[in-house]
Amino acid sequence: MAAMRAASTHGRQVERVLWIVLLLNMLVAAAKFFYGLASGSASMQADGIHSVFDSLGNVIGLIGISLAARPADAGHPYGHSKFETYGSLAIGVLLLVAAFEVGSSAVGKLVSQSYTAQVTPVSFVVMAGTLAVNLGVTLYERRAGKRLHSEILAADAAHTLSDAFVSIGVIVGLGFVAAGFPVADPIMALLVTVAILFSAVSVFRTGLRTLSDHARIPAEEVTVVAESVPGIAEVHCVRTRGTEAEVYCDLHALVDPSMTVMEAHRRGDEVEDAVRRAFPQVKEVLVHIEPVGADETARDKTV
Protein backbone atom coordinates (compact mmCIF):
# COMPACT_ATOMS: atom_id res chain seq x y z
CA MET A 1 0.00 0.00 0.00
CA ALA A 2 2.82 2.38 0.83
CA ALA A 3 4.40 1.80 -2.59
CA MET A 4 1.05 2.47 -4.29
CA ARG A 5 0.59 5.74 -2.39
CA ALA A 6 4.15 6.79 -3.25
CA ALA A 7 3.57 6.10 -6.96
CA SER A 8 0.32 8.08 -6.89
CA THR A 9 1.99 11.03 -5.16
CA HIS A 10 4.89 10.91 -7.62
CA GLY A 11 2.46 10.95 -10.56
CA ARG A 12 0.51 13.93 -9.23
CA GLN A 13 3.68 15.94 -8.62
CA VAL A 14 5.02 15.25 -12.12
CA GLU A 15 1.62 16.07 -13.67
CA ARG A 16 1.57 19.43 -11.88
CA VAL A 17 4.97 20.35 -13.29
CA LEU A 18 3.98 19.23 -16.79
CA TRP A 19 0.79 21.33 -16.77
CA ILE A 20 2.74 24.45 -15.80
CA VAL A 21 5.40 23.80 -18.45
CA LEU A 22 2.72 23.06 -21.07
CA LEU A 23 1.05 26.44 -20.59
CA LEU A 24 4.37 28.28 -20.75
CA ASN A 25 5.47 26.38 -23.87
CA MET A 26 2.20 27.18 -25.64
CA LEU A 27 2.66 30.90 -24.96
CA VAL A 28 6.27 30.80 -26.18
CA ALA A 29 5.37 28.80 -29.31
CA ALA A 30 2.56 31.18 -30.25
CA ALA A 31 4.74 34.27 -29.83
CA LYS A 32 7.62 32.95 -31.93
CA PHE A 33 5.66 31.21 -34.67
CA PHE A 34 3.05 33.89 -35.40
CA TYR A 35 5.55 36.74 -35.30
CA GLY A 36 7.90 34.69 -37.48
CA LEU A 37 5.02 34.12 -39.90
CA ALA A 38 4.20 37.83 -39.96
CA SER A 39 7.80 38.87 -40.48
CA GLY A 40 8.68 36.07 -42.93
CA SER A 41 11.48 34.72 -40.74
CA ALA A 42 12.09 31.01 -41.40
CA SER A 43 14.27 30.61 -38.32
CA MET A 44 11.66 32.18 -36.02
CA GLN A 45 8.96 29.96 -37.51
CA ALA A 46 11.24 26.95 -37.08
CA ASP A 47 11.87 27.87 -33.46
CA GLY A 48 8.14 28.27 -32.98
CA ILE A 49 7.51 24.80 -34.43
CA HIS A 50 10.15 23.43 -32.06
CA SER A 51 8.23 24.96 -29.15
CA VAL A 52 4.95 23.51 -30.46
CA PHE A 53 6.49 20.07 -30.30
CA ASP A 54 7.61 20.91 -26.78
CA SER A 55 3.93 21.41 -25.96
CA LEU A 56 2.90 18.16 -27.68
CA GLY A 57 5.65 16.44 -25.73
CA ASN A 58 4.12 17.78 -22.51
CA VAL A 59 0.74 16.30 -23.52
CA ILE A 60 2.37 12.93 -24.18
CA GLY A 61 4.14 13.26 -20.85
CA LEU A 62 0.82 13.82 -19.08
CA ILE A 63 -0.63 10.70 -20.72
CA GLY A 64 2.47 8.66 -19.95
CA ILE A 65 2.67 9.67 -16.29
CA SER A 66 -1.06 9.02 -15.89
CA LEU A 67 -0.57 5.44 -17.09
CA ALA A 68 2.63 5.02 -15.05
CA ALA A 69 0.81 5.98 -11.83
CA ARG A 70 -1.58 3.02 -12.11
CA PRO A 71 -1.01 0.42 -9.36
CA ALA A 72 0.46 -3.03 -9.97
CA ASP A 73 -1.94 -5.72 -11.13
CA ALA A 74 -1.87 -9.37 -12.17
CA GLY A 75 -0.61 -8.51 -15.64
CA HIS A 76 1.94 -5.95 -14.41
CA PRO A 77 3.24 -7.21 -11.03
CA TYR A 78 6.08 -4.66 -11.11
CA GLY A 79 3.66 -1.80 -11.75
CA HIS A 80 3.32 0.47 -14.77
CA SER A 81 6.25 2.83 -14.19
CA LYS A 82 7.83 2.11 -17.58
CA PHE A 83 4.93 3.86 -19.30
CA GLU A 84 6.76 7.02 -18.29
CA THR A 85 9.72 5.75 -20.30
CA TYR A 86 7.48 4.97 -23.28
CA GLY A 87 6.19 8.53 -23.06
CA SER A 88 9.70 9.94 -23.19
CA LEU A 89 10.46 7.84 -26.29
CA ALA A 90 7.29 9.17 -27.94
CA ILE A 91 8.64 12.67 -27.30
CA GLY A 92 11.81 11.57 -29.11
CA VAL A 93 9.75 10.53 -32.14
CA LEU A 94 8.02 13.93 -32.17
CA LEU A 95 11.43 15.58 -32.14
CA LEU A 96 12.44 13.62 -35.24
CA VAL A 97 9.26 14.76 -37.00
CA ALA A 98 9.95 18.35 -35.96
CA ALA A 99 13.52 18.12 -37.27
CA PHE A 100 12.23 16.94 -40.65
CA GLU A 101 9.67 19.75 -40.89
CA VAL A 102 12.12 22.48 -39.92
CA GLY A 103 14.98 21.12 -42.03
CA SER A 104 12.93 20.63 -45.19
CA SER A 105 11.56 24.18 -44.96
CA ALA A 106 15.06 25.63 -44.57
CA VAL A 107 16.46 23.60 -47.47
CA GLY A 108 13.56 24.73 -49.64
CA LYS A 109 14.37 28.40 -48.98
CA LEU A 110 18.07 27.84 -49.70
CA VAL A 111 17.33 26.03 -52.98
CA SER A 112 14.82 28.64 -54.17
CA GLN A 113 16.92 31.46 -52.71
CA SER A 114 13.72 32.93 -51.25
CA TYR A 115 14.86 35.02 -48.30
CA THR A 116 11.81 36.82 -46.93
CA ALA A 117 12.78 37.60 -43.34
CA GLN A 118 12.05 41.14 -42.17
CA VAL A 119 13.90 42.15 -39.04
CA THR A 120 12.60 44.84 -36.72
CA PRO A 121 13.38 45.74 -33.11
CA VAL A 122 10.22 43.82 -32.17
CA SER A 123 11.82 40.64 -33.57
CA PHE A 124 14.61 40.84 -31.01
CA VAL A 125 12.19 41.72 -28.20
CA VAL A 126 10.04 38.65 -28.98
CA MET A 127 13.03 36.30 -29.13
CA ALA A 128 14.68 37.72 -26.00
CA GLY A 129 11.43 37.39 -24.06
CA THR A 130 10.82 33.81 -25.14
CA LEU A 131 14.46 32.95 -24.42
CA ALA A 132 14.06 34.19 -20.84
CA VAL A 133 10.94 32.03 -20.44
CA ASN A 134 12.75 28.98 -21.88
CA LEU A 135 15.65 29.35 -19.47
CA GLY A 136 13.28 29.73 -16.53
CA VAL A 137 11.27 26.66 -17.58
CA THR A 138 14.45 24.62 -18.04
CA LEU A 139 15.71 25.45 -14.54
CA TYR A 140 12.32 24.74 -12.95
CA GLU A 141 11.79 21.46 -14.81
CA ARG A 142 15.34 20.20 -14.31
CA ARG A 143 15.13 20.75 -10.54
CA ALA A 144 11.73 19.05 -10.41
CA GLY A 145 13.05 16.14 -12.49
CA LYS A 146 15.97 15.56 -10.12
CA ARG A 147 13.77 15.88 -7.04
CA LEU A 148 11.14 13.47 -8.37
CA HIS A 149 13.53 11.15 -10.27
CA SER A 150 11.33 11.60 -13.35
CA GLU A 151 12.57 10.51 -16.79
CA ILE A 152 9.91 12.53 -18.58
CA LEU A 153 10.77 15.75 -16.73
CA ALA A 154 14.51 15.18 -17.22
CA ALA A 155 14.06 14.54 -20.95
CA ASP A 156 11.73 17.51 -21.36
CA ALA A 157 14.11 19.79 -19.46
CA ALA A 158 16.92 18.81 -21.85
CA HIS A 159 14.61 19.50 -24.76
CA THR A 160 13.63 22.91 -23.40
CA LEU A 161 17.30 23.79 -22.84
CA SER A 162 18.01 22.94 -26.48
CA ASP A 163 15.12 25.24 -27.38
CA ALA A 164 16.85 28.02 -25.47
CA PHE A 165 20.09 27.47 -27.39
CA VAL A 166 18.06 27.44 -30.60
CA SER A 167 16.56 30.80 -29.66
CA ILE A 168 20.04 32.20 -29.15
CA GLY A 169 20.95 30.96 -32.64
CA VAL A 170 17.86 32.60 -34.10
CA ILE A 171 18.75 35.91 -32.46
CA VAL A 172 22.22 35.68 -34.00
CA GLY A 173 20.67 34.88 -37.40
CA LEU A 174 18.34 37.86 -37.20
CA GLY A 175 21.34 40.02 -36.42
CA PHE A 176 23.04 38.85 -39.63
CA VAL A 177 19.85 39.47 -41.62
CA ALA A 178 19.67 43.01 -40.23
CA ALA A 179 23.31 43.48 -41.24
CA GLY A 180 22.50 42.58 -44.85
CA PHE A 181 22.96 38.79 -44.98
CA PRO A 182 19.44 37.36 -45.52
CA VAL A 183 20.80 33.88 -46.29
CA ALA A 184 21.66 33.62 -42.59
CA ASP A 185 17.96 33.07 -41.74
CA PRO A 186 17.51 29.62 -43.41
CA ILE A 187 21.05 28.66 -42.41
CA MET A 188 20.16 29.25 -38.76
CA ALA A 189 16.99 27.21 -39.35
CA LEU A 190 19.26 24.32 -40.38
CA LEU A 191 21.21 24.74 -37.15
CA VAL A 192 17.89 24.56 -35.34
CA THR A 193 17.34 21.20 -37.07
CA VAL A 194 20.67 19.90 -35.80
CA ALA A 195 19.83 21.02 -32.26
CA ILE A 196 16.49 19.20 -32.41
CA LEU A 197 18.21 16.02 -33.60
CA PHE A 198 20.67 16.18 -30.70
CA SER A 199 17.71 16.54 -28.33
CA ALA A 200 16.09 13.46 -29.87
CA VAL A 201 19.27 11.41 -29.43
CA SER A 202 19.48 12.42 -25.76
CA VAL A 203 15.85 11.44 -25.15
CA PHE A 204 16.25 8.06 -26.86
CA ARG A 205 19.46 7.34 -24.95
CA THR A 206 17.78 7.95 -21.59
CA GLY A 207 14.71 5.85 -22.44
CA LEU A 208 16.67 2.94 -23.84
CA ARG A 209 18.84 2.80 -20.71
CA THR A 210 15.69 2.00 -18.75
CA LEU A 211 14.23 -0.48 -21.24
CA SER A 212 17.54 -2.33 -21.50
CA ASP A 213 17.64 -2.74 -17.68
CA HIS A 214 20.75 -0.60 -17.30
CA ALA A 215 22.04 -0.57 -13.71
CA ARG A 216 20.44 2.33 -11.83
CA ILE A 217 22.68 2.41 -8.74
CA PRO A 218 26.41 1.52 -8.67
CA ALA A 219 26.72 -1.97 -7.18
CA GLU A 220 29.61 -0.82 -4.98
CA GLU A 221 27.39 1.73 -3.23
CA VAL A 222 24.69 -0.83 -2.48
CA THR A 223 27.33 -3.29 -1.24
CA VAL A 224 28.75 -0.80 1.26
CA VAL A 225 25.28 -0.13 2.69
CA ALA A 226 24.30 -3.82 2.88
CA GLU A 227 27.59 -4.93 4.45
CA SER A 228 27.18 -2.29 7.18
CA VAL A 229 24.34 -4.39 8.65
CA PRO A 230 25.58 -6.41 11.67
CA GLY A 231 25.82 -10.12 10.94
CA ILE A 232 26.34 -9.70 7.20
CA ALA A 233 29.77 -11.06 6.29
CA GLU A 234 29.77 -10.28 2.59
CA VAL A 235 27.50 -9.07 -0.20
CA HIS A 236 27.77 -9.83 -3.90
CA CYS A 237 25.68 -10.33 -7.06
CA VAL A 238 24.15 -6.87 -6.62
CA ARG A 239 21.78 -5.88 -9.43
CA THR A 240 19.49 -2.90 -9.94
CA ARG A 241 17.04 -2.02 -12.69
CA GLY A 242 13.91 -0.01 -13.36
CA THR A 243 13.14 3.67 -13.89
CA GLU A 244 14.87 6.49 -12.05
CA ALA A 245 11.84 6.87 -9.79
CA GLU A 246 11.21 3.15 -9.17
CA VAL A 247 14.29 0.97 -8.78
CA TYR A 248 14.26 -2.76 -8.05
CA CYS A 249 17.30 -4.33 -6.39
CA ASP A 250 18.42 -7.88 -5.67
CA LEU A 251 21.58 -9.14 -3.97
CA HIS A 252 23.21 -12.11 -2.22
CA ALA A 253 24.16 -11.74 1.45
CA LEU A 254 26.50 -14.17 3.25
CA VAL A 255 25.92 -14.95 6.95
CA ASP A 256 27.41 -17.28 9.60
CA PRO A 257 26.45 -20.91 8.74
CA SER A 258 25.47 -21.53 12.37
CA MET A 259 22.87 -18.76 12.29
CA THR A 260 19.27 -19.94 12.64
CA VAL A 261 16.83 -19.52 9.79
CA MET A 262 14.84 -17.01 11.85
CA GLU A 263 17.94 -14.94 12.62
CA ALA A 264 19.15 -15.04 9.01
CA HIS A 265 15.72 -13.93 7.88
CA ARG A 266 15.84 -11.00 10.31
CA ARG A 267 19.25 -9.98 8.98
CA GLY A 268 17.84 -10.05 5.45
CA ASP A 269 15.01 -7.73 6.51
CA GLU A 270 17.56 -5.36 8.03
CA VAL A 271 19.49 -5.31 4.76
CA GLU A 272 16.30 -4.44 2.88
CA ASP A 273 15.52 -1.60 5.29
CA ALA A 274 19.09 -0.25 5.12
CA VAL A 275 19.12 -0.20 1.31
CA ARG A 276 15.72 1.53 1.15
CA ARG A 277 16.81 4.19 3.64
CA ALA A 278 20.03 4.86 1.74
CA PHE A 279 18.33 4.92 -1.67
CA PRO A 280 14.74 6.25 -1.42
CA GLN A 281 14.10 5.50 -5.12
CA VAL A 282 14.40 1.76 -4.39
CA LYS A 283 10.90 0.27 -4.16
CA GLU A 284 11.79 -3.37 -3.58
CA VAL A 285 14.87 -5.27 -2.39
CA LEU A 286 15.22 -9.02 -2.80
CA VAL A 287 17.89 -10.51 -0.48
CA HIS A 288 19.17 -14.05 -1.08
CA ILE A 289 20.73 -15.36 2.13
CA GLU A 290 23.71 -17.75 1.84
CA PRO A 291 26.06 -19.33 4.41
CA VAL A 292 29.67 -18.21 4.43
CA GLY A 293 31.86 -20.74 2.64
CA ALA A 294 29.11 -22.11 0.42
CA ASP A 295 30.39 -23.51 -2.87
CA GLU A 296 29.18 -21.16 -5.59
CA THR A 297 31.79 -21.90 -8.20
CA ALA A 298 29.05 -22.92 -10.64
CA ARG A 299 27.16 -19.69 -10.14
CA ASP A 300 27.55 -16.41 -11.91
CA LYS A 301 28.93 -13.85 -9.44
CA THR A 302 29.10 -11.00 -11.90
CA VAL A 303 28.33 -7.71 -10.13
Side-chain angles (χ1 to χ4, degrees):
M1 289 298 294
M4 290 172 59
R5 287 194 298 271
S8 178
T9 301
H10 169 81
R12 286 196 300 270
Q13 291 175 323
V14 174
E15 282 184 3
R16 188 181 302 115
V17 174
L18 285 171
W19 274 114
I20 293 173
V21 173
L22 172 61
L23 294 175
L24 291 173
N25 278 337
M26 289 175 66
L27 291 174
V28 168
K32 289 189 287 192
F33 180 78
F34 287 112
Y35 188 79
L37 195 64
S39 64
S41 171
S43 58
M44 286 188 71
Q45 292 177 53
D47 201 7
I49 292 173
H50 191 190
S51 295
V52 168
F53 277 91
D54 272 345
S55 301
L56 292 177
N58 298 147
V59 173
I60 290 176
L62 287 167
I63 296 173
I65 200 64
S66 176
L67 294 172
R70 295 167 61 186
D73 53 35
H76 301 83
Y78 288 98
H80 298 76
S81 61
K82 285 188 178 179
F83 278 98
E84 183 175 353
T85 305
Y86 297 142
S88 68
L89 293 178
I91 292 174
V93 173
L94 283 179
L95 286 170
L96 293 179
V97 175
F100 174 78
E101 292 294 329
V102 173
S104 60
S105 175
V107 170
K109 283 184 176 292
L110 287 172
V111 171
S112 65
Q113 296 186 355
S114 175
Y115 311 130
T116 59
Q118 298 176 5
V119 181
T120 67
V122 179
S123 303
F124 293 99
V125 171
V126 170
M127 291 307 303
T130 57
L131 174 60
V133 173
N134 280 334
L135 292 175
V137 168
T138 298
L139 183 61
Y140 168 67
E141 200 170 14
R142 176 178 288 178
R143 287 178 176 176
K146 288 182 178 180
R147 185 180 75 254
L148 300 173
H149 299 286
S150 170
E151 288 186 11
I152 280 185
L153 291 183
D156 203 44
H159 184 197
T160 307
L161 180 60
S162 74
D163 199 17
F165 283 119
V166 167
S167 296
I168 293 174
V170 172
I171 292 173
V172 173
L174 292 177
F176 277 110
V177 172
F181 300 96
V183 70
D185 182 56
I187 289 176
M188 292 309 300
L190 286 178
L191 294 181
V192 169
T193 301
V194 174
I196 296 175
L197 288 173
F198 272 110
S199 297
V201 170
S202 176
V203 168
F204 282 123
R205 182 186 298 116
T206 300
L208 292 176
R209 282 167 64 91
T210 296
L211 296 181
S212 64
D213 284 338
H214 188 278
R216 280 297 176 190
I217 304 172
E220 296 80 7
E221 295 182 13
V222 177
T223 299
V224 169
V225 171
E227 289 183 346
S228 68
V229 174
I232 301 299
E234 180 187 336
V235 170
H236 59 240
C237 292
V238 178
R239 299 184 298 179
T240 57
R241 63 181 179 85
T243 66
E244 291 187 11
E246 293 189 15
V247 176
Y248 292 86
C249 173
D250 60 81
L251 56 88
H252 292 200
L254 275 63
V255 299
D256 190 325
S258 63
M259 190 177 290
T260 65
V261 172
M262 183 65 72
E263 179 65 14
H265 177 72
R266 187 171 69 84
R267 298 298 185 189
D269 288 343
E270 291 176 356
V271 169
E272 293 180 16
D273 292 339
V275 172
R276 284 203 188 97
R277 285 196 302 271
F279 309 100
Q281 68 270 38
V282 173
K283 302 303 177 185
E284 182 179 308
V285 184
L286 178 62
V287 179
H288 178 71
I289 297 293
E290 300 171 351
V292 174
D295 184 9
E296 290 195 346
T297 55
R299 297 185 184 180
D300 181 12
K301 294 187 179 182
T302 302
V303 175

